[in-house]
Amino acid sequence: MPISRSDALVFFGATGDLAYKKIFPALQAMIQRDGLDLPIICIAHSGWTLEQLRQRAHDSLAHAAKAQGATVDEAAFAKLAANLRYVDGDYNDPATFTALKQALGNAQRPLHYLAIPPSLFGVVARSLKRAGCADQARIVVEKPFGRDLASARKLNATLHEVFPEPSIFRIDHYLGKEPVQNLLYFRFANTVFEPVWNHHYVDSVQITMAEQFGVDGRGSFYEGVGAIRDVLQNHLLQVTSLLAMDAPVGNDPASLNAEKLRLFRAMRPLEPADVVRGQFAGYRDVEGVAPDSDVETFVALRLYIDTWRWAGVPFYIRAGKNLPITTTEVMVDMKTPPMSIFDDIQAAQSNYFRFRLSPEVVIAEGARVKRPGEAMRGNPVELVARHDTTPEKSPYERLLGDAIRGDNSLFTSDECVEAAWAVVDRVLNHQNPVQPYAPGSWGPAGAAHVVTSPEGWHDPQAETSEPC
Ligand code: BG6
């Protein structure tokens, strides 16, 4: 099992969208922060030259800098450009891998990063082995990891032909997000939560991942996945696992993974009746989308976790494109007090914990305090543990750095990825037709019925506390 630092980064799919939006900015940040200095061999089948690749990397950095009102750090870019190499070739052609072997020169422990469709993972992995580029190497693969449980199993078996499990790094960039890690930290670095974090005290949990934008420019990719495969099977079930898992026995990858796996396996597989799928009006006009597409751009569902801790507690999850705002938020609603002493407390005004994961990071507890005056009446307030708007290390910077060092704590194991597919497997075949919704709304009307309590979905835009 390789434990030393990788000495080259091989980047398949380097002329693609992900490289432009996320990877070049992450590499640049690693140069600025940690002095990253290793050959970066980019591979694609685009007929480009090294100069064109450098230009594309520069454009990507200019784009990222502009979004922050900054300009490109030319000194750091010069270091990045000096380390870039380019191999152009077809992934099905052995000559591409002979050229890669040559470009690797003296590097012994490459990290192969596959930002390419999963259908190519097998052929690339086997070709790396044949060309002598897989020994002591690591491989990073992008999501989606398969299309369903059967294909994920097959993919795992294919990768295992060439790479042992500890050398396979399956990316879910949500796991590289600071506020997502904070869910785990906050729960287990404090004593007060554990006694109430169960069905005795928790009424329900809601997770909303709302995006104000649609799928322009990604129509053909999105048409092949839909919201369940794109964000539910991975990002949102991962968030659920961190919220609901038992305490790991240590902070090492194996202990964390063991508890997450137990939790994934306890999630009751979803049935069509648990799920509402929606599609925003206008989706079918997006380039790359079929005129009669039945792919969901919105999903809302009710999930149960069959453990002693969570028996009977509904986890309501929704995600969608073209919703009113962009935010990801978790609400853990606590039960109302067992007896009503003060007459103004309604179910919707009970305690809660609110974790806003993006765009800003907030951890807050909802509570009630007495209003001044003779009457025993109160107002809802929020006790804020953290409210932070400063940008953190990007998930890709964090995760690529971890993979180069060989630390797989924040990556998904073969067993976890399969267990997560098992949860959604029965609802992938579009038994329920998509329900239309207007762009800018909170999804189709049917989504409201997913939440069984009269309070319905929490509105992440709502004011959560009142002045006392
Ligand atoms: C990606 C999905 O994995 O995550 C996108 O493919 C989605 O559809 C994105 O927009 C959301 O990530 P983030 O970090 O912007 O919340």
Side-chain angles (χ1 to χ4, degrees), residues 123-400:
V123 69
V124 168
R126 290 190 197 107
S127 303
L128 286 171
K129 183 174 181 172
R130 267 196 298 272
C133 301
D135 303 335
Q136 296 192 70
R138 299 188 180 106
I139 190 162
V140 179
V141 290
E142 266 298 331
K143 67 164 263 281
F145 190 83
R147 290 190 50 74
D148 52 19
L149 179 56
S151 59
R153 283 188 177 140
K154 220 162 131 187
L155 210 49
N156 274 329
T158 305
L159 291 181
H160 287 153
E161 284 172 24
V162 180
F163 295 95
E165 178 62 19
S167 302
I168 303 174
F169 292 67
R170 295 173 195 78
I171 282 210
D172 181 322
H173 79 276
Y174 262 53
L175 294 179
K177 287 182 183 245
E178 191 66 32
V180 174
Q181 291 171 44
N182 215 336
L183 287 175
L184 191 68
Y185 186 88
F186 190 68
R187 283 190 56 204
F188 296 120
N190 298 297
T191 323
V192 293
F193 301 110
E194 190 53 13
V196 298
W197 218 248
N198 55 53
H199 68 101
H200 294 296
Y201 293 94
V202 175
D203 182 73
S204 63
V205 178
Q206 292 195 10
I207 304 175
T208 294
M209 176 184 180
E211 293 180 311
Q212 208 175 14
F213 47 87
V215 295
D216 287 343
R218 301 174 79 209
S220 51
F221 162 79
Y222 202 83
E223 187 62 358
V225 287
I228 298 177
R229 290 185 173 92
D230 188 37
V231 298
L232 173 67
Q233 183 272 344
N234 34 75
H235 306 331
L236 296 178
L237 291 189
Q238 289 287 345
V239 167
T240 309
S241 76
L242 295 173
L243 264 178
M245 67 189 252
D246 285 346
V249 293
N251 188 25
D252 56 292
S255 305
L256 287 166
N257 201 50
E259 290 309 330
K260 280 174 70 172
L261 182 59
R262 265 162 44 85
L263 201 276
F264 279 127
R265 287 187 173 158
M267 289 180 184
R268 195 182 300 168
L270 292 166
E271 298 290 345
D274 304 319
V275 176
V276 169
R277 299 188 312 120
Q279 188 185 81
F280 65 80
Y283 173 70
R284 293 175 187 179
D285 302 328
V286 174
E287 200 188 325
V289 170
D292 58 350
S293 173
D294 190 42
V295 168
E296 76 283 351
T297 58
F298 174 95
V299 65
L301 59 101
R302 195 169 39 240
L303 173 76
Y304 287 95
I305 299 174
D306 291 326
T307 58
W308 193 280
R309 182 197 285 266
W310 292 116
V313 178
F315 282 69
Y316 301 115
I317 304 177
R318 62 178 170 171
K321 304 282 185 196
N322 261 330
L323 299 190
I325 49 168
T326 297
T327 189
T328 301
E329 187 165 274
V330 175
M331 288 288 278
V332 178
D333 265 308
M334 308 309 279
K335 293 190 166 164
T336 40
M339 210 178 95
S340 179
I341 301 176
F342 313 115
D343 60 5
D344 66 334
I345 303 179
Q346 313 293 321
Q349 300 166 333
S350 56
N351 295 150
Y352 61 82
F353 290 94
R354 184 167 73 91
F355 301 89
R356 180 164 287 213
L357 308 181
S358 74
E360 74 277 36
V361 183
V362 178
I363 300 179
E365 181 189 349
R368 290 183 70 74
V369 293
K370 185 183 165 303
R371 241 181 269 163
E374 284 167 18
M376 290 297 272
R377 294 189 167 273
N379 283 342
V381 292
E382 273 205 338
L383 313 173
V384 177
R386 179 172 174 193
H387 188 152
D388 206 340
T389 50
T390 42
E392 320 267 359
K393 240 186 195 188
S394 81
Y396 276 96
E397 180 187 354
R398 171 79 203 256
L399 294 173
L400 275 179

